[in-house]
């Protein structure tokens, strides 16, 4: 499948998994809008890119919990690149203590992005169809007792993905909805993970037994979903490799 010249929005794209996604999409010839609250980190990331890719990337400051800010990002992409083909709902946090904020980012943020993508990309509304890819987690597939609310938010994303990835929605919109469920990934979030759970010491013990993967491996799972042209699919990626659930 050829994605050259197609346009993607990646939320939380300034660092970690989102940054790896962005690089992978640029490498297959796509144009990307990075939506993030981290302006400085995005700037440094953009400066590190090869010159020829810098024309294919823009930044929009965006807190995904604000529908208005998210809408501005979509408007900017349309006015800059003329179309949107892929939305990657990747922004996410873990904080069991501040669970309201976590639900807002991890669930409401994804719903906001999805609603906007359906508005702008649906063939019913003059769009070209396309893809929504959500970053869930292996915590969305099984219990995570040290981070129960985080686990609930990721289960929500898996449920949303499978429900919207039904033929009923695809026939109307031409949009395919899939999810990536990574295991433990080497990111800033992973490094500070224990203190964001319900029991720091218990979380440290669990993490010590796990093998982390690099953000680039998660980006391979994203490309795999696009390449395989799936709908309603959930792909796992961890130290055991990559497989569909």
């Amino acid at each position: 499948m050829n994605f050259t010249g197609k346009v993607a929005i990646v939320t939380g794209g300034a660092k970690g998994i989102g940054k790896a996604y962005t690089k992978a999409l640029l490498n297959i010839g796509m144009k990307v809008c990075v939506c993030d609250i981290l302006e400085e980190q995005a700037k440094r990331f953009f400066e590190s890119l090869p010159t020829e890719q810098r024309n294919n990337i823009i930044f929009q400051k965006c807190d995904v919990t604000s529908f208005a800010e998210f809408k501005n990002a979509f408007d900017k992409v349309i006015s800059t690149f003329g179309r949107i083909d892929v939305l990657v709902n990747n922004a996410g946090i873990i904080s069991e203590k501040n669970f309201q904020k976590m639900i807002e980012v991890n669930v409401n943020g994804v719903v906001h992005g999805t609603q906007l993508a359906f508005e702008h990309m649906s063939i019913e509304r003059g769009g070209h169809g396309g893809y929504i890819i959500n970053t869930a987690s292996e915590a969305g597939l099984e219990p995570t007792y040290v981070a129960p609310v985080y686990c609930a938010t990721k289960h929500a994303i898996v449920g949303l993905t499978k429900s919207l990835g039904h033929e009923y929605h695809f026939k109307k919109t031409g949009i395919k909805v899939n999810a990536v469920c990574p295991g433990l990934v080497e990111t800033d979030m992973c490094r500070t993970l224990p203190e964001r759970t319900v029991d720091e010491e218990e979380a440290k013990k669990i993490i010590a037994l796990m093998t982390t993967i690099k953000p680039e491996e998660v980006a391979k799972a994203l490309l795999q979903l696009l390449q395989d042209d799936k709908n309603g699919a959930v792909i796992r990626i961890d130290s055991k490799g990559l497989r569909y659930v």
Side-chain angles (χ1 to χ4, degrees), residues 42 53 70 78 98 117 191 198 213 218 224 237:
Q53 287 188 347
F70 217 152
I78 294 287
N98 190 357
R191 284 182 273 280
V198 293
I213 57 168
V218 187
Q224 190 75 53
I237 174 71

Side-chain angles (χ1 to χ4, degrees), residues 168-213:
Y168 167 83
H169 294 288
F170 177 67
K171 277 184 186 146
K172 285 171 43 162
T173 64
I175 297 168
K176 295 181 175 177
V177 186
N178 300 289
V180 181
C181 285
L184 201 59
V185 187
E186 284 170 42
T187 58
D188 289 346
M189 192 158 110
C190 170
R191 284 182 273 280
T192 59
L193 186 65
E195 69 206 52
R196 295 163 188 267
T197 64
V198 293
D199 186 332
E200 190 169 341
E201 291 314 308
E202 187 69 14
K204 280 179 182 168
K205 283 184 213 160
I206 297 167
I207 289 167
L209 301 171
M210 294 172 80
T211 310
T212 57
I213 57 168

Side-chain angles (χ1 to χ4, degrees), residues 66-97:
S66 160
F67 190 80
E69 282 189 29
F70 217 152
K71 186 180 181 312
N72 289 344
F74 272 81
D75 293 343
K76 182 173 178 175
V77 176
I78 294 287
S79 66
T80 309
F81 294 134
R83 58 186 290 152
I84 299 166
D85 303 281
V86 178
L87 167 68
V88 184
N89 279 313
N90 169 69
I93 61 168
I94 177 165
S95 172
E96 290 295 314
K97 290 180 188 74

Side-chain angles (χ1 to χ4, degrees), residues 180 216-226 235 237 242:
V180 181
E216 290 70 27
E217 292 174 72
V218 187
K220 280 183 192 157
L222 172 85
L223 294 184
Q224 190 75 53
L225 279 172
L226 291 173
I235 196 167
I237 174 71
L242 200 149

Side-chain angles (χ1 to χ4, degrees), residues 134-180:
N134 299 320
T135 303
S137 163
E138 288 190 330
L141 302 170
E142 50 208 35
T144 309
Y145 67 93
V146 291
V149 182
Y150 176 77
C151 178
T153 67
K154 294 304 181 178
H155 269 75
I157 298 315
V158 170
L160 183 74
T161 300
K162 288 179 172 177
S163 303
L164 289 174
H166 188 276
E167 201 56 25
Y168 167 83
H169 294 288
F170 177 67
K171 277 184 186 146
K172 285 171 43 162
T173 64
I175 297 168
K176 295 181 175 177
V177 186
N178 300 289
V180 181

